[in-house]
Amino acid sequence: MVFTTNTVSISQGPDPRSLIQKERAESKFNPQKMQYFLEGSKERAELIKQLLQQMERDPILFTDGSYYDFTKDQLRALTATKINRISRYLEGDSIDVFNRRLSLLGVFDPAVSTRIGVNLGLFISCIRGNGTYEQLKYWALDKETATIKGIYGCFGMTELAHGSNIMGLETTATFDKANDEFIINTPHIGATKWWIGGAAHSSTHCTVYARLIVDEEDYGVKTFVVPLRDSNHDLMPGVTVGDIGAKMGRDGIDNGWIQFSSVRIPRFFMLQKFCKVSRDGEVILPPLEQLSYSALLGGRVMMVLDSYRMLARMSTIALRYAIGRRQFKGDNVDPDDEEALETQLLDYPLHQKRLLPYMAAAYVVSAGALKVERTIEETLAELDDAVDEDDDAGIMKAIDAMKSLFIDSGSLKSTCTWLAAESIDQCRQACGGHGYSAYNGFGKAYNDWVVQCTWEGDNNVLGISIGKPIVKHVIAIEDDGKVVKGSSDFLNQLKDYTGSNGSKVILNNASDISDVKKIIHAIEIAIIRLSYEAGKTVRKESFDYVGAELVNITKLKAHHYLLSEYVRRVDEFDDSELKPYLYKLAQLYGATMVLDKFAGIFLTFNVASTGAITDLAKINIPQLCKEIRPNVVAYTDSFQQSDMMINAAIGKYDGDIYENYFGLVKQQNPPKDHKAPYSAALEAMLNRPSLEQRERFEKTLEAGEILSK
Amino acid sequence: MALLAKTKGFIKPEKKEVDQKPKNVANVISNKTPPNPAGDIAKERARTDWDPKEMHEFLEGNEKKSNEVLRLYQSIERDPVLQTKAEYFDITQKEERELVALRINQMTKFIETEPYKKFRRRLQLMTVIDPSLGIRMLVNLGLFLNCIKGNGTQKQYDYWAKSKESGVVKQMYGCFGMTELGHGSNVAGCETTATFDEETDSFLIDTPHIGATKWWIGGAAHSATHTVCYARLIVKDIDYGVKTFIVPLRDSQHNLLPGIAIGDIGAKMGRQGVDNGWIQFTEVRIPRFFMLQRWCKVNKHGNVTLPPLEQLSYISLLEGRVGMATDSYRIGARFTTIALRYAVGRRQFAKPGKKEESQLIDYMLHQRRLLPYLALTYAAAVGTYRLEKEHDLLLENLDKALATNDKLLLKNTINSTKSMFVDSASLKSTLTWDAADLIDQCRQACGGHGYSSYNSFGKSFNDWVVQCTWEGDNNVLAMSAGKTIIKNVQQILNNKKLKDHTMEFLNDASTLSKAKKAVIRIKEHVDDPERVLKAIAGLISKFAVDLIPISHQTWDAIGAQRVILSKLRCHYYLLESFNDKLEQDVKAKSPTRPHLENVMRLYYVTNILGPFIGEFLRFGVISPKVASYITQQYPQELCQKVRPYVIGLTDSFQQPDNFINSLIGKYNGDIYNNYLGEVKSINNPATHKAPYSEEFEQNLKRVALDEREHFSKTAEVAKKLSQ
């Protein structure tokens, strides 16, 4: 039975396309409307689609499967071309629109967005955070950095021997009173600026984090604008820059290292919003040093948003594949029916359990990302206003807000970037061998992504530093009856759930677990009891002793934030038809990402009973997965990521998995090249003469006879 | 410019003073004392109070094997083609494929001259430093030939392996044509057909549709001349299921044969050096005797004889799984060595009141992140040594039984085959997963420097993770191991005890599953490995008994639980091996003993009791009173015991610099000089402009927007146009 469609087949091949289309047609809700929830509002959602349409039609910014075959050198050149192209959009966009554009670009081409991000994000944010308004205006606007013109900045913070500990950086900026200059110097190899994005080839200037030394006194780390290259793009004297070379990912970025050998800059190149050095070498220090690190906050907030989009992209690919792919005949197939087709991967309960939680996480994280994004905008605006008006009370209030933003953004950044990394890896594994093909996006996504867990605040370091104040709060509540305010105010329940109340169980059974508000409450109690226990150890030993627990506290805190905000958003969402579908995801998220993952903690501290955890595995999770399963296509379509954003042959909208994939493979690797360029060597090896011949027959019996005579 | 002009001090004084501050001159000039990681590492190395060689013998199983491994390390590090080079981290996919081809050529020099077992060990070690080379050779020597050995007659094997010399990578090169675009895990569902044509006494091999395209076939794109093709045997319109056939792909001029379409599968996450390809067969005719017919035969009249013991044909898959479990140990050794050397040499943040910053490894969290992996690697070494030995014995017995037609031996061997299927599946899946986590976590523990290619994590991770998918997807394997475990427990409850089986510890399942009292109730219980083994056995029994009723309805619904059972089985195997070897081979007074005891405890507390505490509590195997001791306090105490000796414990893996292949992980510990030095030599700072610099510079120097818009949007123009 030969039949012809696009090609000639001898028998009926697999038909993933119809499977996906059928499920799409049977969806119970409208993905467009769901998208409005995910993006916060109709306006924001439509703006995003408009920007994406512009970029997917743009001849230079457009990305497709060919992207996965580029070498490092090609990617770097392409990235530079894209930066050139996007600088033209930048000239017309408002700053908000451009930031949005950049964040979207980051999903399908992270190298471009990061390489621009070090200039417009880190470099300018650092000047904004540490420089005066005039300094910002000069470097950003007069010198046109803000439109990627004239000069190009990089962010000279980390050094070869110092990454996380910024206060310990060793580059020096010594004030030379005679010449009214600073001398920037790299005292030894350990202080070589390292990992500096854009330094190897692009940057003309660098905001250098260096120790301010005046009259032999060390005032700690401050920031200085140091020119690296002249207007001919040649290196300045005393500046040595090198390429950092091959990396795990982000090949499009020219990370470099920098050594300064007595490089002189004028005194007014120091950023002096908070710290000033006068002509006579008098130093005025900032009211609150940590304010100067606000440059990093924007990045952390952005990474939460990135995590949402990454979770969305990965779960879309893996779930479309899981619907289109059939393998084995599972329990849903009549074993006696010989004609029966194999089971769709997503009809296996284990496969549901492996993937659906990440889809739910995309939804839940989207809510947290929106909230923290809104908070930072408000907080930075308040701070700027207060500083401009010299309003001390305003500054102090903004500083308080900044502190809680540090906690929230830090716990979210670490938890969400880890979660997204895990989702890429798990979604890849769920696509079996095809997940390993570069054309399906996972490998590059993973390699590009995982640095998010390290940079701009290493996740473990953040985990410790966020967990610590929580434990301190708990100790203060116990000792001094302190009342905690802000997003950690649930800690005030301490006495109701510790000591003689330490074994009060919150989740007793399946019905408790299906109540998201109870799960949120349970997370609170788990944090309280874990912190209380950690506090006891801290009193005996030290904070260092409970590092592992602090990281867990931070993760639970992030889940608490995310889930609470998500439920709040769902509660006030005006489309009541969608609510039940949204609520299901909160239940699944709570059951899998929180209870299942932290079951040991919930059991150890009696927050959940053993019966509840048994029900969780046996009843709640399978049941929720089953309920969510029929609308999976609609749930993932709701992310509204076009094929270019997805950029995975097996994850396209039309679901024609095999044709799309095979087509791309053939396009990228024309089968007519069926001999390798090095084929001659290979053939020579196979057709080599025998060992005896290659040994000139010197070891034969015959030779042996002659030689032993 | 206005701002600059106004500022006082803008006009520079003529004279500049030279910086007079004292500097110290060593290899280069420093203004302050540079960090000294090499000193830290040397100091800690001096603490080692045992002979690393003795420890290495423990890890490798015995003195002979330890010596062989060390000689091979030496041979590889001196070989100009096989040795690693940091600059290889920069090569493109095309270059890597060529490098691997060159290395294969070099390896063939050894295959012809050294004992085959030694060669296989060499290949196993090469797999750790060049996984592409490993698999590209193994598709020929392992998969292709094992398939012929497992499914073909002895004569068929002799013909293809020896007469045609594919056993020494000569004349022909085989690939393994199993997976298809639409079928991976379900081999029995493959759709390629082999239809018998009685008239010409041949088979027609055919790819009926796109889904049946052979996919992922390692070596197919450029190297292979032949493939073992898994195809459905169709005789007189009857489908006999999937059998194996030798199908030539390329002629002796290395040109494709008619009817064969082959393509390169292109870019992959890793293993760029392997030329994976796809194959489509269009009415390809092969002689009837190209079918492998040890178990299943077709005579020239089309009469089909089916195999008596089909399961034996799958024995050939075991070798790959056993190999991957062992790979996990070596990769674990390599990356814990890198991360721990870095953690000793690197300092970050000073503790309160201290001037000097702390070594990373002195942070408890850092210990908790890394030391459990170190301990796991020790356990994996011992466990995989045992697995390798049991596998060798099995093959030996099988060959003997078949050769002498010894029915009793064959029956016993089939029994041990069954437990080998479970053991290899649960070790392969659990350990390849753990190793993937280990690489990733060790990378994260090296912070930003872990992200540099030259420190090896990225490439190794990318090359590694496919181990979790191929030759039995980890979830599929673990589920099948879990299923057998549940069935075994059920069988035991029905009073049919296991014999000649590695899971005889479950013969008490009936008692274990009914036990009311927790196995681990007080802190002291945690110190006793025998009791911990009993606790795992108890958990497996209770867990399995709990699942038996559901399994009568559906196996699919308990997939996740089956995976957990498989992991528990793996850990039982490792701990049992570790404990036995410690008791049998390590003298009471050996200086290694106290360290091994600590490492073993750390292993089971942080890799078994901790991660599965939810299950242990839920089934009442561990009493809740000791739960937080097990998850929090005790791991910390054990970490502190192991902490002082991490350099010695990793040195004991005895992997040389060339094998470790990581700039921050070298033996001398001179982290920063090694790293910067090599980065400079590979990326010459003299070329400080990018090849594409001109375009970039043009962009920065572009004319103003107004001008580029032909001044057509100015207020002036607006006025004109709006008139």
Side-chain angles (χ1 to χ4, degrees):
Chain A
M1 182 186 53
V2 180
F3 58 95
T4 301
T5 54
N6 52 339
T7 54
V8 185
S9 294
I10 303 295
S11 60
Q12 177 68 52
D15 184 14
R17 184 191 180 105
S18 301
L19 282 174
I20 290 175
Q21 299 294 7
K22 181 166 159 277
E23 296 200 9
R24 181 169 285 137
E26 287 167 0
S27 300
K28 292 284 188 299
F29 58 83
N30 178 349
Q32 291 283 347
K33 284 194 183 155
M34 196 61 113
Q35 161 81 351
Y36 297 157
F37 173 84
L38 283 163
E39 295 297 343
S41 69
K42 183 178 175 187
E43 293 68 34
R44 191 167 176 276
E46 292 301 327
L47 169 67
I48 282 169
K49 279 188 273 185
Q50 174 207 323
L51 294 173
L52 279 172
Q53 188 182 51
Q54 243 172 10
M55 291 195 277
E56 75 179 5
R57 288 175 180 175
D58 190 293
I60 290 164
L61 297 179
F62 175 77
T63 296
D64 63 13
S66 67
Y67 190 73
Y68 297 121
D69 274 299
F70 289 127
T71 64
K72 184 182 82 177
D73 292 344
Q74 287 171 324
L75 271 176
R76 287 200 178 172
L78 180 68
T79 304
T81 307
K82 288 191 176 187
I83 292 174
N84 186 353
R85 178 68 182 156
I86 205 152
S87 66
R88 313 308 159 103
Y89 286 96
L90 178 54
E91 287 174 335
D93 284 346
S94 76
I95 192 73
D96 286 344
V97 168
F98 186 75
N99 283 341
R100 185 77 56 227
R101 187 189 294 283
L102 205 56
S103 131
L104 294 168
L105 182 64
V107 181
F108 61 91
D109 197 341
V112 177
S113 69
T114 306
R115 205 159 149 181
I116 294 177
V118 292
N119 180 19
L120 299 182
L122 295 171
F123 177 75
I124 293 191
S125 295
C126 177
I127 299 178
R128 182 182 170 186
N130 299 288
T132 62
Y133 177 73
E134 289 299 327
Q135 288 182 317
L136 175 66
K137 183 171 169 293
Y138 178 77
W139 293 112
L141 303 178
D142 300 354
K143 305 301 285 185
E144 300 185 290
T145 316
T147 49
I148 317 183
K149 196 163 180 300
I151 71 174
Y152 200 96
C154 64
F155 185 66
M157 188 160 86
T158 46
E159 298 175 353
L160 187 49
H162 279 96
S164 294
N165 184 13
I166 310 301
M167 314 289 266
L169 294 174
E170 295 176 275
T171 301
T172 52
T174 313
F175 184 56
D176 174 7
K177 210 184 286 181
N179 296 303
D180 197 21
E181 288 173 329
F182 289 107
I183 301 167
I184 309 292
N185 195 49
T186 304
H188 55 66
I189 182 173
T192 307
K193 290 290 172 190
W194 200 263
W195 277 117
I196 313 306
H201 298 135
S202 325
S203 299
T204 60
H205 291 69
C206 181
T207 45
V208 174
Y209 282 71
R211 313 199 76 80
L212 172 65
I213 315 272
V214 181
D215 291 332
E216 310 215 348
E217 191 162 336
D218 183 333
Y219 289 89
V221 175
K222 312 289 168 229
T223 47
F224 305 82
V225 175
V226 183
L228 301 177
R229 289 180 168 88
D230 63 19
S231 58
N232 287 319
H233 218 64
D234 289 319
L235 289 178
M236 296 285 188
V239 173
T240 315
V241 165
D243 184 348
I244 224 167
K247 302 184 293 282
M248 184 173 176
R250 310 239 171 186
D251 273 339
I253 307 171
D254 57 324
N255 292 82
W257 53 265
I258 313 173
Q259 288 181 330
F260 302 99
S261 309
S262 299
V263 173
R264 283 172 182 273
I265 55 166
R267 179 171 52 89
F268 45 83
F269 278 19
M270 173 173 168
L271 296 174
Q272 49 180 15
K273 184 183 202 167
F274 299 112
C275 171
K276 284 177 200 169
V277 178
S278 74
R279 179 67 190 84
D280 309 324
E282 195 193 332
V283 180
I284 303 157
L285 283 176
L288 239 190
E289 194 112 32
Q290 69 206 63
L291 279 181
S292 59
Y293 301 122
S294 62
L296 289 175
L297 273 180
R300 286 179 195 166
V301 168
M302 185 72 93
M303 282 186 252
V304 184
L305 191 66
D306 291 349
S307 304
Y308 147 55
R309 292 202 201 284
M310 185 55 84
L311 284 160
R313 181 174 162 225
M314 291 300 127
S315 53
T316 303
I317 302 171
L319 285 165
R320 285 183 181 160
Y321 181 75
I323 288 169
R325 173 84 166 183
R326 296 176 181 275
Q327 201 78 182
F328 292 112
K329 292 180 182 174
D331 293 341
N332 66 344
V333 172
D334 176 2
D336 298 328
D337 179 2
E338 281 189 16
E339 297 298 304
L341 293 171
E342 292 175 283
T343 302
Q344 290 168 263
L345 293 191
L346 197 55
D347 285 332
Y348 289 102
L350 175 60
H351 214 76
Q352 295 170 3
K353 188 182 177 235
R354 287 168 69 188
L355 291 178
L356 297 181
Y358 297 112
M359 183 184 84
Y363 276 75
V364 173
V365 170
S366 81
L370 286 175
K371 182 176 178 189
V372 75
E373 191 185 53
R374 216 171 43 237
T375 315
I376 190 178
E377 279 165 15
E378 290 163 8
T379 309
L380 285 181
E382 274 168 33
L383 180 69
D384 279 352
D385 289 351
V387 170
D388 283 349
E389 288 161 23
D390 259 337
D391 168 8
D392 282 348
I395 292 180
M396 289 324 286
K397 193 174 156 249
I399 284 171
D400 271 347
M402 195 79 90
K403 276 185 189 163
S404 80
L405 191 57
F406 262 104
I407 292 194
D408 292 338
S409 66
S411 69
L412 290 174
K413 183 268 183 186
S414 57
T415 306
C416 295
T417 55
W418 267 330
L419 186 58
E422 181 191 310
S423 81
I424 305 171
D425 194 48
Q426 291 299 318
C427 289
R428 176 185 59 73
Q429 290 194 44
C431 296
H434 299 324
Y436 199 65
S437 166
Y439 305 115
N440 295 321
F442 298 106
K444 187 164 192 338
Y446 188 83
N447 289 327
D448 285 348
W449 180 264
V450 290
V451 70
Q452 303 254 37
C453 304
T454 300
W455 71 17
E456 300 191 32
D458 175 88
N459 281 1
N460 275 294
V461 176
L462 281 180
I464 291 182
S465 67
I466 304 307
K468 215 187 247 181
I470 294 175
V471 174
K472 278 185 181 163
H473 279 327
V474 166
I475 292 175
I477 293 170
E478 202 195 0
D479 292 357
D480 318 322
K482 180 186 170 177
V483 178
V484 178
K485 280 182 239 163
S487 68
S488 302
D489 59 3
F490 59 83
L491 295 175
N492 296 325
Q493 306 168 83
L494 179 73
K495 299 220 162 114
D496 301 335
Y497 293 97
T498 50
S500 56
N501 298 319
S503 53
K504 213 189 274 176
V505 176
I506 312 299
L507 303 171
N508 280 298
N509 49 43
S511 117
D512 285 350
I513 294 173
S514 60
D515 181 345
V516 181
K517 301 218 160 116
K518 277 203 178 146
I519 294 186
I520 294 173
H521 183 52
I523 301 173
E524 293 172 354
I525 307 314
I527 294 175
I528 286 174
R529 289 185 183 157
L530 190 53
S531 307
Y532 181 73
E533 191 72 19
K536 282 200 236 164
T537 313
V538 170
R539 290 170 199 267
K540 273 187 287 176
E541 309 277 349
S542 66
F543 267 108
D544 185 38
Y545 211 86
V546 293
E549 285 70 43
L550 295 178
V551 174
N552 277 330
I553 291 170
T554 301
K555 287 182 183 169
L556 287 168
K557 173 75 174 70
H559 290 304
H560 181 262
Y561 183 99
L562 292 167
L563 207 47
S564 310
E565 175 60 13
Y566 180 76
V567 171
R568 192 193 65 74
R569 286 268 322 280
V570 175
D571 283 346
E572 68 176 32
F573 190 47
D574 52 15
D575 193 329
S576 58
E577 271 178 41
L578 291 179
K579 278 191 185 183
Y581 298 103
L582 287 167
Y583 206 66
K584 277 281 163 271
L585 297 181
Q587 289 175 301
L588 182 67
Y589 182 89
T592 54
M593 289 299 179
V594 183
L595 294 182
D596 195 33
K597 275 203 178 177
F598 296 90
I601 289 176
F602 282 89
L603 284 173
T604 304
F605 293 103
N606 283 314
V607 183
S609 67
T610 53
I613 297 298
T614 304
D615 286 352
L616 176 75
K618 277 193 178 167
I619 302 172
N620 295 77
I621 295 176
Q623 187 61 33
L624 284 165
C625 286
K626 207 172 149 193
E627 286 164 10
I628 289 167
R629 165 70 187 91
N631 288 298
V632 163
V633 172
Y635 275 121
T636 50
D637 282 356
S638 300
F639 297 130
Q640 297 277 291
Q641 296 194 347
S642 65
D643 284 352
M644 179 192 73
M645 292 275 278
I646 298 281
N647 202 8
I650 59 170
K652 291 194 171 195
Y653 184 80
D654 69 9
D656 204 356
I657 295 171
Y658 301 117
E659 293 284 352
N660 291 337
Y661 180 27
F662 194 29
L664 179 63
V665 164
K666 281 201 281 195
Q667 175 202 308
Q668 288 301 109
N669 309 276
K672 69 175 174 49
D673 306 332
H674 59 86
K675 279 202 180 188
Y678 54 86
S679 195
L682 206 58
E683 292 169 43
M685 173 184 75
L686 291 180
N687 300 323
R688 69 191 183 273
S690 70
L691 179 62
E692 290 76 11
Q693 195 178 338
R694 281 180 285 135
E695 289 173 346
R696 302 178 195 83
F697 304 103
E698 289 158 359
K699 293 185 186 168
T700 57
L701 283 177
E702 222 169 281
E705 265 169 37
I706 297 170
L707 293 172
S708 56
K709 263 178 198 164
Chain B
M1 289 311 288
L3 191 76
L4 284 189
K6 264 191 281 175
T7 315
K8 209 166 70 173
F10 175 62
I11 298 137
K12 288 181 186 170
E14 307 248 304
K15 208 177 93 190
K16 293 238 154 124
E17 284 157 42
V18 183
D19 184 4
Q20 300 279 338
K21 289 229 184 76
K23 300 175 179 58
N24 64 58
V25 178
N27 51 341
V28 292
I29 304 170
S30 301
N31 305 41
K32 282 197 255 173
T33 317
N36 183 17
D40 286 329
I41 288 174
K43 202 172 95 200
E44 301 209 0
R45 180 164 288 136
R47 262 183 222 153
T48 312
D49 57 8
W50 68 90
D51 176 7
K53 178 68 169 59
E54 187 193 334
M55 191 67 104
H56 188 244
E57 287 165 9
F58 176 85
L59 288 162
E60 291 293 343
N62 57 47
E63 188 188 348
K64 188 165 160 262
K65 188 176 152 221
S66 156
N67 290 342
E68 183 182 72
V69 166
L70 293 179
R71 291 314 298 255
L72 284 168
Y73 280 150
Q74 190 181 51
S75 161
I76 292 167
E77 75 182 2
R78 289 176 179 177
D79 189 293
V81 180
L82 299 182
Q83 64 181 203
T84 64
K85 291 196 175 88
E87 68 207 51
Y88 290 156
F89 287 114
D90 275 278
I91 63 183
T92 63
Q93 182 218 54
K94 288 193 173 62
E95 291 163 338
E96 188 173 342
R97 288 197 178 174
E98 185 169 356
L99 173 67
V100 171
L102 289 176
R103 281 180 170 165
I104 292 176
N105 187 23
Q106 189 75 349
M107 290 291 280
T108 63
K109 309 290 163 59
F110 292 101
I111 200 175
E112 287 182 345
T113 52
E114 68 191 3
Y116 192 63
K117 277 208 152 170
K118 186 173 174 194
F119 175 79
R120 286 305 292 261
R121 185 71 66 201
R122 177 188 298 276
L123 186 57
Q124 192 185 57
L125 299 181
M126 281 305 295
T127 298
V128 180
I129 57 177
D130 187 348
S132 288
L133 169 85
I135 196 60
R136 204 161 152 182
M137 291 204 83
L138 278 173
V139 290
N140 179 24
L141 297 176
L143 295 169
F144 178 75
L145 288 175
N146 281 346
C147 178
I148 299 179
K149 199 168 192 183
N151 298 287
T153 61
Q154 186 64 36
K155 289 255 154 47
Q156 288 183 317
Y157 178 75
D158 288 347
Y159 179 77
W160 295 110
K162 294 178 183 159
S163 310
K164 306 306 287 183
E165 299 186 291
S166 72
V168 288
V169 200
K170 201 159 177 297
Q171 294 189 58
M172 54 178 273
Y173 201 99
C175 66
F176 187 65
M178 187 161 87
T179 47
E180 298 176 355
L181 188 49
H183 280 94
S185 294
N186 184 11
V187 180
C190 280
E191 295 176 275
T192 303
T193 53
T195 313
F196 182 58
D197 178 16
E198 196 178 336
E199 211 170 302
T200 57
D201 199 22
S202 55
F203 289 107
L204 282 174
I205 308 291
D206 203 83
T207 304
H209 54 69
I210 181 175
T213 307
K214 290 290 171 191
W215 200 264
W216 276 118
I217 312 304
H222 298 135
S223 319
T225 59
H226 293 68
T227 188
V228 276
C229 179
Y230 282 70
R232 314 198 74 78
L233 171 66
I234 315 268
V235 182
K236 295 174 185 159
D237 288 336
I238 296 175
D239 182 333
Y240 289 88
V242 174
K243 312 288 169 228
T244 46
F245 305 82
I246 302 282
V247 185
L249 302 174
R250 288 179 168 90
D251 61 21
S252 59
Q253 311 289 312
H254 219 65
N255 288 316
L256 289 182
L257 291 165
I260 304 280
I262 279 185
D264 184 347
I265 222 167
K268 301 183 294 277
M269 181 173 178
R271 308 244 176 181
Q272 305 283 13
V274 188
D275 56 325
N276 293 85
W278 53 265
I279 313 174
Q280 288 182 327
F281 304 96
T282 314
E283 296 199 312
V284 173
R285 208 171 271 278
I286 54 164
R288 179 169 52 89
F289 47 84
F290 277 21
M291 174 173 168
L292 297 176
Q293 47 180 15
R294 184 182 193 172
W295 312 107
C296 169
K297 281 179 198 166
V298 178
N299 74 9
K300 67 177 174 186
H301 306 300
N303 296 327
V304 181
T305 326
L306 283 174
L309 284 167
E310 190 143 26
Q311 70 211 59
L312 287 180
S313 70
Y314 294 110
I315 287 181
S316 62
L317 290 175
L318 289 174
E319 184 181 272
R321 291 176 193 164
V322 172
M324 282 187 258
T326 309
D327 291 350
S328 308
Y329 146 57
R330 285 192 209 287
I331 211 89
R334 185 170 157 211
F335 286 96
T336 48
T337 304
I338 301 171
L340 284 165
R341 283 181 183 164
Y342 182 75
V344 169
R346 172 84 165 184
R347 291 174 178 272
Q348 202 79 182
F349 294 110
K351 295 208 167 140
K354 292 268 171 66
K355 202 161 175 229
E356 198 175 23
E357 290 181 292
S358 300
Q359 293 166 266
L360 294 191
I361 196 63
D362 283 329
Y363 291 97
M364 303 262 191
L365 175 60
H366 216 77
Q367 295 170 17
R368 290 278 292 273
R369 288 168 69 188
L370 291 178
L371 299 185
Y373 285 116
L374 176 68
L376 172 68
T377 304
Y378 268 69
V382 182
T384 57
Y385 171 70
R386 171 179 159 201
L387 188 70
E388 222 177 65
K389 256 187 8 195
E390 284 175 352
H391 177 249
D392 286 348
L393 184 68
L394 175 79
L395 291 190
E396 232 170 77
N397 284 341
L398 185 67
D399 281 349
K400 212 196 286 170
L402 289 174
T404 57
N405 212 2
D406 181 340
K407 295 254 163 61
L408 181 69
L409 184 60
L410 188 65
K411 193 175 157 239
N412 292 343
T413 310
I414 287 173
N415 264 346
S416 36
T417 308
K418 284 181 187 159
S419 64
M420 178 53 70
F421 264 102
V422 175
D423 294 342
S424 65
S426 72
L427 261 74
K428 182 267 185 187
S429 56
T430 309
L431 288 177
T432 56
W433 266 330
D434 282 344
D437 287 346
L438 180 151
I439 302 171
D440 194 51
Q441 292 300 320
C442 286
R443 177 185 59 73
Q444 291 195 44
C446 296
H449 299 322
Y451 199 65
S452 165
S453 295
Y454 307 115
N455 296 322
S456 229
F457 298 100
K459 182 167 193 322
S460 287
F461 184 84
N462 290 335
D463 285 346
W464 180 264
V465 290
V466 70
Q467 304 256 46
C468 305
T469 299
W470 69 19
E471 300 192 33
D473 175 87
N474 280 1
N475 275 294
V476 176
L477 276 185
M479 278 195 289
S480 95
K483 190 179 196 172
T484 311
I485 293 167
I486 296 171
K487 283 183 169 171
N488 282 338
V489 169
Q490 178 158 35
Q491 183 191 321
I492 291 161
L493 295 184
N494 293 339
N495 273 324
K496 222 180 132 210
K497 305 247 158 151
L498 299 173
K499 262 192 283 180
D500 292 320
H501 203 290
T502 55
M503 286 194 292
E504 282 164 35
F505 67 91
L506 288 176
N507 280 340
D508 300 331
S510 171
T511 331
L512 288 168
S513 64
K514 285 183 202 129
K516 288 256 162 39
K517 217 153 93 181
V519 181
I520 294 174
R521 300 179 301 274
I522 52 170
K523 290 177 180 180
E524 288 67 29
H525 287 165
V526 188
D527 284 329
D528 176 7
E530 299 286 349
R531 186 176 282 272
V532 172
L533 282 169
K534 201 179 154 209
I536 306 171
L539 178 57
I540 293 178
S541 306
K542 288 187 170 185
F543 210 155
V545 167
D546 189 47
L547 296 171
I548 286 170
I550 314 175
S551 77
H552 294 314
Q553 315 284 319
T554 159
W555 285 100
D556 287 351
I558 52 172
Q561 290 85 340
R562 285 151 64 194
V563 174
I564 295 175
L565 280 174
S566 163
K567 289 180 179 172
L568 289 169
R569 197 284 165 270
C570 167
H571 285 300
Y572 188 95
Y573 190 97
L574 299 187
L575 179 55
E576 180 184 48
S577 315
F578 201 151
N579 193 39
D580 285 354
K581 188 157 178 68
L582 189 59
E583 292 314 315
Q584 286 158 17
D585 289 7
V586 183
K587 294 192 188 85
K589 282 187 181 158
S590 164
T592 61
R593 192 172 178 104
H595 299 290
L596 284 169
E597 283 173 356
N598 285 333
V599 167
M600 179 172 71
R601 288 202 181 105
L602 181 63
Y603 158 66
Y604 65 67
V605 170
T606 56
N607 287 278
I608 311 176
L609 302 182
F612 296 98
I613 190 76
E615 281 76 19
F616 280 111
L617 290 174
R618 194 147 71 79
F619 287 101
V621 180
I622 289 179
S623 137
K625 282 177 301 198
V626 284
S628 71
Y629 172 73
I630 286 171
T631 55
Q632 293 173 29
Q633 189 186 338
Y634 198 40
Q636 211 75 277
E637 289 173 21
L638 288 167
C639 279
Q640 281 175 294
K641 285 186 185 163
V642 173
R643 154 69 190 99
Y645 304 100
V646 292
I647 292 296
L649 288 169
T650 49
D651 281 355
S652 296
F653 294 130
Q654 296 278 293
Q655 296 188 342
D657 282 353
N658 192 266
F659 195 81
I660 298 256
N661 196 17
S662 169
L663 301 179
I664 59 170
K666 293 191 176 206
Y667 184 81
N668 70 8
D670 197 2
I671 296 172
Y672 301 118
N673 282 310
N674 293 338
Y675 185 23
L676 177 63
E678 195 75 50
V679 164
K680 271 164 95 164
S681 93
I682 297 170
N683 308 277
N684 188 352
T687 51
H688 58 85
K689 279 202 182 189
Y692 55 85
S693 195
E694 199 170 319
E695 183 190 343
F696 189 81
E697 292 172 43
Q698 288 305 320
N699 183 33
L700 290 183
K701 292 171 193 163
R702 70 188 183 272
V703 296
L705 181 60
D706 287 354
E707 194 178 335
R708 277 178 286 135
E709 289 174 344
H710 315 278
F711 298 107
S712 54
K713 291 186 185 168
T714 57
E716 222 171 281
V717 176
K719 217 193 231 171
K720 277 188 206 162
L721 292 177
S722 56
Q723 265 164 15

